[in-house]
Amino acid sequence: MNFLEEKILSDGSIKSGNILKIDNFLNHQIDVDIMRQIAYELKRRFKGVAINKILTIEASGIAIATMIGDLYDVPVVFAKKSETANSTDDKYVSHAYSFTHKRMNSVFVSRPYLHATDRVLIVDDFLADGQAVHALIDLVHQAGGEVAGIGIAVEKGQQKGGRTLREEGYHLESIAIIEEMDWQAQTIRFREQPQHDLTNTPIKAID
Ligand code: 5GP
């Protein structure tokens, strides 16, 4: 098991409706050390991939994206959500159905922050049906940019997002992939992934 799978088992809980709650290290309180490990692991998995921008969506993707932006030394852009944004001259607008809030959101980025020259790493906390990530891909394409990769902390492999994105040919990396979770028994089974020796990863600055 990797560090994130262990953290999910020790600190997470499963809610009805197929929701994993990890508020105490990602979705409400942020465990900076875990964010840093997620960032290092995603950077390792995208080794050799040229990236000049990180794109995420507010709010929980921002912490991970900021850590990765620091490692790559590139700008981090977060798409904003609104119930009302329409297509206008000053922003790229797409739409995503929110799995957690059960409503349609407009998702937008102001034009100065996405360009045709951008090779973008899309980052988010969760991947479920792929609505949020597809909206981000759409925004990159509207700007004429290229999606260099998609990095996710927790993929819910029982939902269709991961499968669809891989079939579409995107380089998708998810640190923890949930195969099944049982709300009543509070059990989770993760998809087997190649394990890597992280012992030499400089996870923390030593003072
Ligand atoms: P998707 O757009 O892929 O269907 O859903 C991904 C988005 O929904 C993520 O940005 C995340 O905010 C939210 N989400 C989906 N499933 C879960 C979950 O099990 N737990 C939490 N905390 N958020 C989720």
Side-chain angles (χ1 to χ4, degrees), residues 13 15 17-23 27 57-61 81 96-101 124-134 152 154 156 159-162 165 178 181:
S13 59
K15 302 289 164 199
N18 195 30
I19 297 284
L20 174 66
K21 202 168 163 77
I22 48 175
D23 277 10
N27 293 122
I57 184 163
E58 65 180 359
S60 297
K81 292 176 191 163
Y97 182 77
S98 166
F99 181 82
T100 39
H101 298 110
D124 205 2
D125 57 344
F126 275 90
L127 172 64
D129 286 334
Q131 290 273 324
V133 168
H134 275 107
I152 300 289
V154 185
K156 290 155 78 190
Q159 292 182 245
K160 65 176 190 293
L165 289 163
I178 295 171
M181 58 183 185

Side-chain angles (χ1 to χ4, degrees), residues 111-129:
R111 282 178 184 257
Y113 306 126
L114 278 179
H115 303 284
T117 50
D118 284 339
R119 286 187 49 83
V120 179
L121 177 62
I122 290 175
V123 170
D124 205 2
D125 57 344
F126 275 90
L127 172 64
D129 286 334

Side-chain angles (χ1 to χ4, degrees), residues 85-171:
N86 293 313
S87 212
T88 65
D89 289 346
D90 62 343
K91 42 173 127 58
Y92 302 109
V93 182
S94 192
H95 304 279
Y97 182 77
S98 166
F99 181 82
T100 39
H101 298 110
K102 311 282 178 234
R103 63 155 190 253
M104 205 68 184
N105 277 320
S106 296
V107 173
F108 68 90
V109 169
S110 293
R111 282 178 184 257
Y113 306 126
L114 278 179
H115 303 284
T117 50
D118 284 339
R119 286 187 49 83
V120 179
L121 177 62
I122 290 175
V123 170
D124 205 2
D125 57 344
F126 275 90
L127 172 64
D129 286 334
Q131 290 273 324
V133 168
H134 275 107
L136 296 176
I137 291 171
D138 185 25
L139 296 175
V140 173
H141 288 165
Q142 284 181 41
E146 211 177 307
V147 176
I150 301 162
I152 300 289
V154 185
E155 175 181 333
K156 290 155 78 190
Q158 343 83 293
Q159 292 182 245
K160 65 176 190 293
R163 190 180 60 248
T164 308
L165 289 163
R166 290 185 181 96
E167 281 169 7
E168 288 168 352
Y170 290 104
H171 181 180

